[in-house]
């Protein structure tokens, strides 16, 4: 599996205010939700749809950007994708 790549870039709008919390060790964890719009053709018409992503950011970078992430603001993020199953 050494040749696999897990890289994602998303540009969208925040659906709610970001939330920051800290681990017992003092590391910051920033959570936010991103809506990424797309156009989909249905029959003869194009319609707007959105995909929603729950995102997390860690460490000092999370502390730095937390004050700027407000609901409705457009942001671009890059990182890795992980899937939760339950």
């Amino acid at each position: 599996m050494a040749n696999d790549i897990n890289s994602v870039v998303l540009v969208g709008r925040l659906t709610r205010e970001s939330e920051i919390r800290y681990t017992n060790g003092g590391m910051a964890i920033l959570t936010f939700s991103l809506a990424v719009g797309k156009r989909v053709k249905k029959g003869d018409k194009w319609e707007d749809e959105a995909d929603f992503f729950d995102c997390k950011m860690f460490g000092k970078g999370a502390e730095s950007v937390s004050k700027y992430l407000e609901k409705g603001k457009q942001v671009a993020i890059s990182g890795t994708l992980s899937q939760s199953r339950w």
Side-chain angles (χ1 to χ4, degrees):
M1 287 213 192
N3 295 327
D4 295 344
I5 297 173
N6 183 354
S7 180
V8 66
V9 175
L10 298 171
V11 178
R13 296 198 178 270
L14 298 172
T15 62
R16 62 177 186 262
E17 302 296 324
S18 64
E19 297 177 21
I20 193 162
R21 61 184 174 84
Y22 294 87
T23 64
N24 291 336
M27 184 175 69
I29 302 174
L30 181 68
T31 58
F32 55 97
S33 181
L34 196 62
V36 178
K38 62 183 176 182
R39 304 272 291 161
V40 177
K41 190 168 186 176
K42 293 188 176 179
D44 292 339
K45 291 186 175 184
W46 286 92
E47 295 184 11
D48 292 323
E49 289 186 357
D51 291 315
F52 297 90
F53 299 91
D54 292 324
C55 305
K56 290 184 183 179
M57 186 175 181
F58 302 92
K60 292 193 181 288
E63 289 178 310
S64 298
V65 302
S66 66
K67 57 187 163 215
Y68 302 108
L69 298 183
E70 301 168 346
K71 181 179 179 178
K73 188 169 266 193
Q74 187 177 42
V75 296
I77 62 169
S78 66
T80 59
L81 189 63
S82 62
Q83 181 181 15
S84 299
R85 297 179 189 188
W86 59 108

